[in-house]
């Protein structure tokens, strides 16, 4: 997953965007003004920036110009505003902004813009590839054929096909199945609670309660991603 910088002077907006992006498995850094944004950009080298236009010290368009003229616009920037005009949005795009989101920002538009931005991000870290797993399997086969010690087992994560012992009380068997079911979907969706909720047909609040009740490790899918 990616490292995303959110720059907005409104605490509520920062908290909301941070919660959504964290649920999607991303690392999120927050800044409430241009000064903090400059420092965060140097410190964490974000893969993408969500930048508010209207801020008290230096507005977002000015900061965007600063990064562009200084050769620091090395990551996609998505502008945000609830009061900007079309001219402002066009100006930001000409300077180098990848997209413009109008507040209040809908979940669908936010996730779509972030996904498109990360595809274009040259600094995006690749996910673990199947080739790495195949290499581990090859090492295991070679070791078995030559009599060498077997390598440490690779955790492939929850699998789509599993077996369950049915000689158990119904409640225990059901909880075991549900836990495996949710762990599988969390791993498949990279720890994204939003996508797991959509996939399983549960509301996020209900999903959170269910996972905690079953003792599901909510960080496992994010670590795997």
């Amino acid at each position: 997953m990616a490292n995303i910088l959110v720059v907005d002077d409104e605490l509520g907006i920062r908290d909301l965007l941070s919660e959504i992006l964290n649920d999607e498995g991303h690392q999120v850094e927050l800044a409430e003004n241009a000064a903090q944004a400059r420092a965060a950009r140097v410190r964490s080298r974000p893969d993408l920036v969500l930048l508010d236009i209207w801020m008290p010290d230096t507005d977002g368009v000015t900061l965007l110009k600063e990064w562009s003229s200084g050769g620091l616009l090395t990551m996609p920037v998505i502008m945000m505003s609830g009061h900007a005009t079309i001219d402002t949005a066009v100006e930001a795009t000409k300077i180098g902004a990848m997209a413009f989101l109008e507040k209040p920002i809908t979940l669908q538009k936010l996730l779509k813009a972030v996904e498109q931005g990360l595809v274009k991000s040259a600094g995006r870290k690749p996910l673990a590839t199947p080739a790495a797993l195949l290499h581990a399997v090859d090492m295991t086969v070679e070791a078995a054929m030559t009599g060498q010690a077997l390598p440490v087992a690779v955790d492939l994560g929850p699998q789509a096909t599993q077996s369950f012992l049915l000689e158990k009380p119904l409640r225990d068997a059901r909880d075991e199945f549900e836990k495996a079911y949710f762990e599988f979907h969390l791993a498949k969706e990279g720890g994204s609670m939003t996508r797991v909720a959509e996939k399983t047909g549960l509301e996020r609040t209900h999903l959170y309660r269910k996972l905690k009740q079953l003792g599901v490790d909510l960080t496992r899918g994010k670590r795997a991603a």
Side-chain angles (χ1 to χ4, degrees):
M1 290 289 124
N3 181 23
I4 299 176
L5 172 61
V6 175
V7 187
D8 198 299
D9 62 317
E10 296 184 47
L11 176 60
I13 297 294
R14 293 197 306 274
D15 287 347
L16 176 61
L17 295 181
S18 177
E19 179 183 356
I20 292 173
L21 295 172
N22 274 317
D23 281 349
E24 292 301 305
H26 301 298
Q27 295 292 326
V28 182
E29 179 121 8
L30 302 176
E32 61 180 270
N33 52 47
Q36 291 184 7
R38 292 186 188 100
R41 192 226 165 272
V42 173
R43 180 175 61 253
S44 62
R45 301 182 65 82
D47 299 309
L48 182 140
V49 177
L50 290 165
L51 178 59
D52 186 31
I53 289 182
W54 300 113
M55 295 187 295
D57 57 347
T58 302
D59 65 83
V61 174
T62 300
L63 181 59
L64 185 69
K65 287 180 181 177
E66 178 185 312
W67 282 343
S68 179
S69 62
L72 300 176
L73 200 57
T74 56
M75 64 289 175
V77 175
I78 299 172
M79 307 300 292
M80 307 180 295
S81 179
H83 310 286
T85 63
I86 294 179
D87 290 341
T88 304
V90 171
E91 180 186 6
T93 303
K94 288 181 178 178
I95 296 170
M98 190 206 79
F100 172 81
L101 294 176
E102 185 176 1
K103 296 178 182 178
I105 303 171
T106 65
L107 178 64
Q108 291 80 3
K109 288 184 178 180
L110 171 66
L111 296 182
K112 183 178 180 180
V114 168
E115 181 180 358
Q116 291 175 341
L118 292 177
V119 168
K120 295 182 179 180
S121 177
R124 188 181 184 186
K125 297 181 180 178
L127 299 177
T129 62
L133 297 179
L134 290 175
H135 176 64
V137 172
D138 288 342
M139 289 177 61
T140 302
V141 173
E142 181 181 356
M145 293 177 63
T146 59
Q148 301 174 12
L150 292 175
V152 177
V154 177
D155 183 6
L156 300 180
Q159 299 300 295
T161 302
Q162 300 188 32
S163 59
F164 298 92
L165 293 176
L166 300 181
E167 293 184 354
K168 290 183 176 183
L170 175 60
R171 179 169 182 172
D172 293 343
R174 183 182 59 202
D175 287 349
E176 183 178 309
F177 167 78
E178 289 186 345
K179 183 176 181 181
Y181 173 81
F182 287 118
E183 285 178 341
F184 169 75
H185 284 290
L186 276 169
K188 185 178 179 181
E189 302 299 338
S192 169
M193 294 293 289
T194 300
R195 290 198 291 269
V196 171
E198 292 174 353
K199 180 74 71 173
T200 60
L202 297 175
E203 299 216 358
R204 280 192 5 176
T205 303
H206 184 196
L207 179 60
Y208 271 117
R209 287 201 302 266
K210 190 68 175 175
L211 297 181
K212 289 182 179 179
Q213 174 189 338
L214 294 170
V216 174
D217 182 1
L218 300 181
T219 65
R220 178 170 183 171
K222 296 180 182 180
R223 292 199 304 266

